[in-house]
Structures are given as C-alpha cells and as structure tokens.
Amino acid sequence: MRRILLRSAIAVAFVAAGGCSWTTGGGGPLDPQHRAALVEGFLGGVPQPGALFASDAPVRFVLEADFHLLDGDRTLDSEERPARVILAGPEGGVVEVPVQVPVEIPVEVRTRGRYRLRPSTCPFPPLRLDFPSSELHGTLFDGQDKLKLVTHCRNRGDYEQNVLEEYLAYRLYNVLTEVSFKVQLAEITYLDTSGHNRPMTRMAFLIEDDDALAERLGGEVLDVPGLEAGVLDPGELGLMYTFQYMIGNTDWSTEGGHNMAFLRAGPSIFAVPYDFDFSGLVDAPYAGPAPSVADRIRSVRDRLYRGYCVEGVDHEAVLNRFRAARHDLLSLVETQGKLSYRNRLSAERYLEEFFDDLGYPHRVERNIIQACRR
C-alpha cells in the first residue's frame, strides 16, 4: 500500500511539474529524499526483460546527468560527461518480486549525430552512453560498452511517436535479415542534476554497438569512409536497397558511407544501414527528400529506388524474401502497442502500398528493376 501511495504521489508531482514535458525553471537540483522517491516511484514493481535486445518489451531506467551542460554540446567531437544509469533490482536484471533496490551505474554520456544535433532541429539531442565494464556484472547492461540512444527530439507527442516509428523500421529490417542492428525499446526518466529542467519520462531506444554486431556475426567492422556497390555482398545489398525503398528512405549512401556501417564476415562485405528518421515510414516533421533527389520526389512519403545496377543482385529472389515476410512485417506493426492508432494505421497503409505494388510486374519493372542507378 505504501508503494502504491508513493507512486500516486509521484504521478501527481509529475503532473504538477508539467507532466512529461522538459520544462525549464526546475527550481534547483533535487534534494536526496525527493530524488530517491522519484527513482523508486518510476522503477518500482516493473520487471525488466531478461537480456538487452532480447525482447520487444521496453526496458526502464533513469538517466541522471547535467542536461543543461549537455545542451551546449552541439559539436561532432562533443565531450563525454559524467552521468548515472539507475536500474531496478538488486542486480538490475529480471525481478520476481516488486520490492527492489535501485542499482546505480556510473556512465559517461555525450551528444551525437549530425542533423538531429542541431538545436534548431532537436532541442533534446541524441545521446551515446559509455558503460564501464567493471560495473555491469549481473545487470541488464552486462557485456555492453557503448550504446547509441535515440531520443525524442522535441517534447511533443508526435515526436515521441516518431521515435517509435523509427524503432519499428529497425525491427522490420531485423525480420528480413540478421545483418542488421538490433534495437531495444526503452522508457527513460531523465533527471537533470543542474536543476534547470524538471524530471521527464519519454520513450527512446538503444542501438546495438558496431563491435557487438560484428561479434554476433563473426566478423569485423571496417573503418572506411565508403565502399562501391560492386564490392558488397549482392544478396544483402539487393535486400538493403529494397528495404530502403519499402520504408521510403533516400537519406543514405554506400559510396559516401552516409548512415551506413560496413562489416566483413568471411569472404563477404556487408553494408548495414541505420538512421531511418528521414524515411517516409517515420515521416518526421523536419524530414525531406535527400537533396540529390529533391527534384524527383516532393515528400519523404514518395518512394524512389536508389540502388545501383549491380551484377549479381537477383531482384526476383530479393522480392520473394519480402513477399514471404509480408505477414510477419505487418504483424510487427500491429503489435507495436506504444504506437498510437493513427500512426499504426499510417504505417500499415504505407507498407501495404509497397506489397500491393509487388503484385504488378510492370510496376516492379518500372519502379525497382529499371530504376536502378547505372
């Protein structure tokens, strides 16, 4: 009963403080008692998934840092700042009973990104968490090193929905291929130690680290600025091209290495895409077509195939992989419970348009096979 009353009191406090909005004028740093109550109220009684990237259920933690200082870090070589990740449970893992002791992990956090790093685009920037290996044994983050954190950009519900839609894009690619970054949905309460901002809770997601991806696939990450399409594995390359077309994304390049990681596994080299916020599936308020194609499409919702004409790409085999995965892909959209009904319906319709076109050979020939860049 005490826990229920405490959580109710904290919920009232959050509403009084502006709900989940990041509001300036926080009234100074939280005193220890208030901080402890906020942490306990947010974490208490909520079980964590057994392992990171193993479940679609969101992990829940508190991120405590000087966000006023981080807000000024808007360069590509921004400094790492001290922070804390606070988890539920004596070991931060699966809990069997609701009464748990918060576990605090010292981390370093820095801003990251390019377009979303601009304060005019995203007042709340994307972040990267750097975990100390010595502090993680037995916790949810055991074995992790550096993790990208995709945040909500602006404190409006539609921007939080964009986070969930981009998370969905990664999950769709996970269904199609193992050569993809795993993601973990997260519900995070942000505590600003500077006292400039009041506590807020928002949905976000974590992205698997490049080195972790390489280890999982038995390969190595290549430190190159870009690669020509002809040296990349044609099967996975054709799949990646078609996936980008399916979600309506033109904001990528293998030759320029834009939003692309490169991985060597055995004799093959793979291009692994990331950052899908400029896709039609997400349709973020700030997004537009890539400058190189702005004269050909007017909106990110307009699809344009950007793959190169590469010998070895079997379009029919690639499209059959999409056809075979149609049910699983659409089911994934339907089960994204955090998405609003409106956004879920929009995503379903957008993907259905792609699959409907696959039923017309002349559209496939015109929009994909003959549309490749020579």
Side-chain angles (χ1 to χ4, degrees):
M1 179 61 73
R2 174 182 174 274
R3 179 175 295 277
I4 293 173
L5 291 174
L6 177 60
R7 297 191 72 184
S8 298
I10 291 169
V12 172
F14 267 49
V15 173
C20 291
S21 296
W22 196 244
T23 309
T24 57
L30 295 172
D31 64 76
Q33 187 175 4
H34 189 198
R35 175 186 178 276
L38 283 171
V39 170
E40 183 182 358
F42 176 64
L43 296 178
V46 180
Q48 300 277 34
L52 209 62
F53 305 117
S55 170
D56 200 32
V59 301
R60 191 180 256 213
F61 63 90
V62 174
L63 180 58
E64 183 179 49
D66 187 333
F67 285 97
H68 183 65
L69 195 61
L70 282 166
D71 186 52
D73 293 341
R74 299 286 181 163
T75 62
L76 296 179
D77 57 348
S78 60
E79 186 178 343
E80 290 192 326
R81 307 290 186 180
R84 287 183 179 274
V85 165
I86 308 173
L87 293 169
E91 294 184 334
V94 179
V95 296
E96 300 296 336
V97 293
V99 179
Q100 297 294 307
V101 178
V103 174
E104 300 189 10
I105 302 173
V107 301
E108 291 188 318
V109 61
R110 55 163 290 186
T111 58
R112 63 173 189 86
R114 291 181 181 272
Y115 192 82
R116 282 187 273 195
L117 190 57
R118 302 175 186 175
S120 58
T121 303
C122 291
F124 197 96
L127 302 171
R128 191 188 75 179
L129 305 178
D130 190 351
F131 290 87
S133 58
S134 60
E135 304 282 344
L136 302 178
H137 179 68
T139 75
L140 185 66
F141 294 103
D142 198 353
Q144 301 300 324
D145 182 14
K146 295 178 175 64
L147 291 174
K148 292 179 180 178
L149 179 63
V150 179
T151 55
H152 55 276
C153 184
R154 291 179 180 269
N155 298 311
R156 295 197 333 235
D158 54 342
Y159 281 89
E160 190 173 46
Q161 287 292 303
N162 290 154
V163 169
L164 298 171
E165 288 162 331
E166 187 176 4
Y167 167 78
L168 174 63
Y170 280 91
R171 294 286 289 114
L172 292 171
Y173 202 47
N174 293 158
V175 170
L176 291 164
T177 177
E178 283 292 311
V179 188
S180 58
F181 287 103
K182 290 188 175 182
V183 285
Q184 175 65 64
L185 196 61
E187 186 176 0
I188 305 173
T189 285
Y190 301 93
L191 296 184
D192 184 7
T193 58
S194 74
H196 281 79
N197 302 287
R198 298 172 183 176
M200 74 169 176
T201 301
R202 279 287 184 262
M203 299 304 299
F205 66 89
L206 298 156
I207 305 176
E208 182 181 31
D209 182 64
D210 292 22
D211 291 331
L213 167 71
E215 182 178 354
R216 174 166 58 86
L217 297 176
E220 61 175 335
V221 177
L222 301 181
D223 185 14
V224 292
L227 288 173
E228 293 184 359
V231 305
L232 299 169
D233 180 86
E236 288 294 322
L237 184 64
L239 186 79
M240 187 272 290
Y241 284 163
T242 307
F243 171 76
Q244 301 279 28
Y245 175 76
M246 180 183 76
I247 66 170
N249 189 30
T250 59
D251 186 36
W252 60 274
S253 168
T254 52
E255 294 72 24
H258 180 55
N259 292 337
M260 202 69 58
F262 299 99
L263 173 73
R264 184 195 301 275
S268 300
I269 300 177
F270 304 103
V272 189
Y274 58 86
D275 278 7
F276 305 121
D277 60 314
F278 270 67
S279 68
L281 182 71
V282 176
D283 196 18
Y286 54 77
S292 59
V293 299
D295 60 333
R296 301 181 62 187
I297 55 175
R298 296 180 297 176
S299 164
V300 293
R301 297 285 283 189
D302 297 331
R303 289 187 172 92
L304 181 66
Y305 189 81
R306 297 286 291 153
Y308 278 94
C309 304
V310 179
E311 184 178 354
V313 172
D314 186 337
H315 288 286
E316 191 58 29
V318 168
L319 295 175
N320 282 338
R321 288 175 68 175
F322 281 85
R323 292 184 182 106
R326 176 174 184 165
H327 174 76
D328 291 338
L329 295 173
L330 292 174
S331 294
L332 197 61
V333 180
E334 294 173 2
T335 56
Q336 289 299 307
K338 296 291 183 179
L339 271 179
S340 69
Y341 172 78
R342 176 182 177 183
N343 288 69
R344 189 163 60 248
L345 186 62
S346 175
E348 288 174 351
R349 288 176 174 172
Y350 192 66
L351 295 179
E352 286 282 14
E353 290 174 2
F354 165 78
F355 284 111
D356 287 347
D357 282 350
L358 297 191
Y360 295 88
H362 68 281
R363 294 182 186 177
V364 170
E365 184 72 20
R366 181 190 64 209
N367 297 331
I368 296 178
I369 298 175
Q370 294 300 322
C372 63
R373 291 188 281 171
R374 303 182 186 277

